[in-house]
Amino acid sequence: MSTSLAKPAHASAAAPVRADRRMKRFLSLQDFETAARRHLPRPVFGYVHGSVEDGQSERDNRAAFARYGFKPRVLVDVSARSQDVEIFGRRYASPVGIAPMGITALTAYRGDIVLARAAREANVPSIMSGSSLIRLEDVMAQAPGTWFQAYLPGDDAQIAALIDRVAAAGVQTLVLTVDTPTQANRENNVRTGFSTPLRPSLDLAWQGITHPRWLAGTFARTLLKHGMPHFENNYATRGAPILSRNVLRDFSDRGHLNWTHVARIRERWKGTMVIKGILDPADALKARALGMDGVIVSNHGGRQLDGAVSPLRVLEDVVAQAGDMAVMFDSGVRRGTDTLKAIALGARCVFVGRPFNYAAAVAGQDGVRHALKLIQDEVSRDMAMLGITRLQELDKSFLVPLG
């Protein structure tokens, strides 16, 4: 008998087995959304799920992938496949990473840490949001190598102080999100009862009572162990609590930001630097001229400007202007086939947001681990179907425009 079979059963060995059994009903990333809709209070789910105004951009993010069909290569030996990818000198196990998402600690207990730890365990890139309720230092201690997405504050002194704080925390890859010059018109938040700051009401209380697993496992547990959540990473110092009126002020001072600020940050920041929110190839050219290491082609998941073009529709044009910058992609990726289409058009890797948020909400780190495995397994199977063994073999010749 092998030693692995001879080991007695114990709690640490049983836990993954229980987690596997619990995860069997989740067959795709979409399945986590259905479960999260039941688990989360309506305002909290609405915040994550919603887009801006009429949802044109969010719908087009998905529709853009359907514009391409695959042209597979057959009778290729694909018995040994690898989906690893190199980004900024580091080898990752998969081209699918976790996108930055705000206030995830309100949807899952210690949500930012859960996401970052799952990504580190799977060896995939993960970006922590600046609109987070957990100190970036705590996340970096739990998951070194996590990228940090900064929303820049209101003046040069505050910007410099924030950048210095991020560097001191050990962050190596700084991501500047540049598509939020003002608050978006998210009517969906109003309709579902979500507001920033959160406003106590009878309806909000009822939503908590009628979602006891979330109330006890996430919100009450957070209050008891960590106190009232604050926006921890908008500035070099602690930001406002989620119930404070000052939250609106904290998020309203980005309209003045321009390329001059980016140039100053590039001079100050010694690590890898990425700009997220690029849709115009001319902006990619500006980023390249300022010495950026990479850009993320993104329309913020359809959550900022309604009608903003799907990133997939401009990806090739951005790549053409990028030079040796790493071009990455987010907004609308839900399947392994989506991932491979973006890579065929020039993306180095893709980032997925909402589904991993839902996975963390319904099943914590086990959920995120399973969600990552689902899409990685899809990528591997799809590579075999396409007749490739490495992502570097994939290019536009595998795609056929439809319609």
Side-chain angles (χ1 to χ4, degrees):
M1 180 180 293
S2 69
T3 55
S4 61
L5 294 176
K7 287 180 181 179
H10 52 80
S12 61
V17 175
R18 288 196 298 269
D20 288 345
R21 290 172 180 168
R22 190 165 49 129
M23 294 296 106
K24 281 185 177 179
R25 64 190 176 105
F26 298 105
L27 304 180
S28 71
L29 294 189
Q30 189 64 32
D31 291 342
F32 285 102
E33 178 179 323
T34 303
R37 188 185 294 271
R38 295 192 298 266
H39 173 76
L40 293 171
R42 182 169 177 261
V44 178
F45 177 82
Y47 167 78
V48 179
H49 183 264
S51 53
V52 65
E53 293 183 351
D54 299 323
Q56 296 178 36
S57 291
E58 184 186 15
R59 289 192 297 274
D60 191 50
N61 286 344
R62 293 297 304 135
F65 288 104
R67 294 177 60 225
Y68 293 99
F70 286 114
K71 190 167 56 176
R73 315 292 197 257
V74 297
L75 294 176
V76 177
D77 182 353
V78 293
S79 56
R81 302 182 301 280
S82 172
Q83 59 182 281
D84 64 345
V85 60
E86 184 177 319
I87 310 170
F88 306 134
R90 174 172 171 177
R91 182 67 59 176
Y92 290 99
S94 174
V96 183
I98 298 179
M101 294 166 283
I103 66 173
T104 53
L106 195 62
T107 54
Y109 177 69
R110 308 304 277 169
D112 300 288
I113 292 176
V114 163
L115 291 163
R117 287 173 60 178
R120 179 173 172 80
E121 177 186 80
N123 188 25
V124 297
S126 176
I127 311 175
M128 178 188 180
S129 172
S131 295
S132 44
L133 305 176
I134 299 176
R135 295 174 69 250
L136 72 94
E137 291 85 355
D138 296 340
V139 175
M140 292 302 298
Q142 294 282 331
T146 301
W147 304 6
F148 181 75
Q149 172 224 37
Y151 287 111
L152 298 180
D155 60 49
D156 287 340
Q158 290 178 326
I159 291 172
L162 175 61
I163 297 303
D164 290 347
R165 176 190 169 192
V166 173
V171 173
Q172 298 173 346
T173 302
L174 174 67
V175 180
L176 298 184
T177 289
V178 295
D179 56 3
T180 59
T182 189
Q183 287 283 88
N185 183 26
R186 298 185 188 174
E187 298 165 0
N188 177 76
N189 288 355
V190 179
R191 293 190 176 97
T192 59
F194 185 89
S195 62
T196 305
L198 286 177
R199 296 184 179 90
S201 67
L202 290 176
D203 182 62
L204 193 62
W206 175 249
Q207 285 292 323
I209 293 170
T210 54
H211 294 82
R213 284 185 57 227
W214 172 85
L215 181 63
T218 300
F219 190 68
R221 189 178 176 192
T222 298
L223 290 179
L224 288 172
K225 291 194 172 186
H226 310 283
M228 179 60 66
H230 286 59
F231 285 95
E232 299 283 1
N233 304 304
N234 284 328
Y235 298 92
T237 55
R238 194 180 202 193
I242 58 173
L243 296 178
S244 170
R245 295 178 183 176
N246 288 335
V247 168
L248 290 176
R249 175 181 59 79
D250 285 358
F251 283 91
S252 64
D253 55 3
R254 302 171 187 160
H256 71 291
L257 296 169
N258 57 62
W259 288 104
T260 301
H261 294 96
V262 174
R264 291 172 184 161
I265 296 169
R266 176 69 280 184
E267 292 177 1
R268 192 177 194 93
W269 179 257
K270 305 307 179 186
T272 301
M273 188 166 166
V274 176
I275 291 186
K276 179 180 182 293
I278 295 290
L279 290 174
D280 190 329
D283 285 337
L285 194 59
K286 292 177 183 177
R288 176 184 172 187
L290 290 178
M292 297 301 110
D293 299 289
V295 296
I296 300 177
V297 187
S298 166
N299 67 10
H300 217 101
R303 295 168 71 87
Q304 284 302 115
L305 173 65
D306 203 20
V309 66
S310 164
L312 197 72
R313 298 184 188 274
V314 298
L315 179 56
E316 278 189 283
D317 296 331
V318 171
V319 170
Q321 299 297 330
D324 58 358
M325 288 192 304
V327 177
M328 296 160 284
F329 179 96
D330 78 18
S331 302
V333 175
R334 295 295 180 269
R335 288 284 187 180
T337 49
D338 301 336
T339 301
L340 295 178
K341 287 176 182 179
I343 291 174
L345 293 172
R348 186 78 59 87
C349 70
V350 305
F351 291 93
V352 178
R354 292 177 178 93
F356 292 136
N357 194 320
Y358 298 142
V362 299
Q365 192 167 329
D366 288 337
V368 183
R369 181 186 298 116
H370 185 68
L372 283 166
K373 185 177 185 303
L374 284 174
I375 195 164
Q376 289 170 3
D377 287 349
E378 288 182 7
V379 169
S380 181
R381 283 192 299 268
D382 297 336
M383 289 174 65
M385 298 290 187
L386 283 172
I388 62 174
T389 60
R390 298 167 61 250
L391 293 176
Q392 291 75 12
E393 300 169 29
L394 192 58
D395 59 26
K396 193 181 177 183
S397 67
F398 284 83
L399 301 181
V400 177
L402 305 176

